[in-house]
Amino acid sequence: MLFIIFFCEKTKNLLNYTIVFNFNNKTTFQINFFANGVILSKKKLRKKLSKMEEEKSKDNAKLDLESITEQHACFDKNWILQLNKQESIHNLICLICKQVANSPMEINCIQHKNMDESLIVGENCLTKFLSQNQNSCPIEPHDNCLYSQGRFAKLYINELDVICPRQFQQEQHQLRMLTQQGHEERETPGIINCGFKGK
């Protein structure tokens, strides 16, 4: 939680204004204003704000990874495509969220037996969909949706090569920050680099 504390005192015929930025009960930085101008330069202020954003980003990335693990959400397609080709994951895409299925389930309804495409959904997506749509099938509306574990799809997904998920999230966050700041701001905060590549 961010708190901003404002102080004002008179010293030697000048008014001294102090603004203290307090993030999670830690003083992150302060800015002193005098009648004759700002003591902390804009460049230093940007660096301090950037550092604060980086720390916040690391905390958010950690929370995001924990929530993904807890919820068993499907895997980010862009993350998987870092080291895999589009064709190799084409039949592993969840029909509900359009990401790579986590704990893939196959839809086995009789109504869809003539369909040529892969009918894969992530287990968490399917559970949510069925609870929100009174057990209606996610492919086309009918009752009594039939499904089973996609064992072959799961084995194939487990063999895909990926980079470190935290590294991927940091890179995505940096890209968003650069896009938001525009082309004039080229300073990027230091990030932890992880060279993991594996299954």
Side-chain angles (χ1 to χ4, degrees):
M1 185 172 260
L2 177 67
F3 292 98
I4 301 173
I5 305 162
F6 185 78
F7 300 101
C8 178
E9 62 178 328
K10 189 174 182 181
T11 56
K12 294 183 182 179
N13 297 327
L14 292 174
L15 288 176
N16 178 14
Y17 299 97
T18 303
I19 302 174
V20 178
F21 292 85
N22 186 300
F23 185 69
N24 288 340
N25 295 327
K26 294 177 190 169
T27 299
T28 51
F29 64 94
Q30 68 182 41
I31 305 172
N32 292 315
F33 293 90
F34 290 95
N36 62 352
V38 179
I39 300 300
L40 191 66
S41 71
K42 286 183 181 179
K43 190 173 184 180
K44 286 182 182 178
L45 179 60
R46 279 189 193 142
K47 281 185 179 179
K48 288 191 181 275
L49 285 171
S50 178
K51 189 173 181 181
M52 237 172 75
E53 274 293 319
E54 181 185 349
E55 288 172 11
K56 185 179 170 187
S57 167
K58 286 178 184 176
D59 290 341
N60 286 346
K62 188 175 180 182
L63 288 172
D64 288 347
L65 282 174
E66 287 170 2
S67 67
I68 285 172
T69 307
E70 288 169 14
Q71 296 174 4
H72 305 292
C74 289
F75 303 115
D76 188 330
K77 187 167 52 172
N78 294 321
W79 173 50
I80 303 291
L81 287 173
Q82 293 280 317
L83 298 178
N84 300 280
K85 294 182 180 176
Q86 181 78 38
E87 305 85 54
S88 64
I89 65 165
H90 178 71
N91 291 324
L92 306 172
I93 302 296
C94 172
L95 293 170
I96 298 171
C97 72
K98 307 301 183 214
Q99 301 299 322
V100 176
N102 184 6
S103 297
M105 307 293 285
E106 279 188 61
I107 304 289
N108 300 321
C109 306
I110 298 165
Q111 292 87 337
H112 317 304
K113 67 180 179 183
N114 294 328
M115 290 184 83
D116 291 335
E117 63 184 283
S118 174
L119 304 177
I120 299 287
V121 292
E123 185 176 15
N124 189 51
C125 288
L126 181 62
T127 303
K128 281 184 182 177
F129 186 89
L130 293 175
S131 67
Q132 293 172 356
N133 295 286
Q134 300 174 354
N135 290 328
S136 177
C137 180
I139 297 168
E140 55 185 45
H142 65 80
D143 292 334
N144 302 322
C145 180
L146 301 173
Y147 51 90
S148 63
Q149 279 191 342
R151 288 196 174 97
F152 291 115
K154 187 173 186 174
L155 287 171
Y156 190 80
I157 290 169
N158 287 341
E159 290 299 311
L160 293 171
D161 288 323
V162 291
I163 65 169
C164 168
R166 184 170 289 173
Q167 179 71 38
F168 173 73
Q169 287 186 341
Q170 283 184 21
E171 289 170 4
Q172 293 299 304
H173 177 74
Q174 268 191 312
L175 190 62
R176 282 194 300 272
M177 292 300 292
L178 284 173
T179 305
Q180 289 173 358
Q181 292 172 354
H183 297 291
E184 63 190 52
E185 183 67 43
R186 289 289 180 192
E187 291 179 23
T188 55
I191 63 167
I192 300 167
N193 287 319
C194 174
F196 172 80
K197 290 181 182 178
K199 303 191 185 320

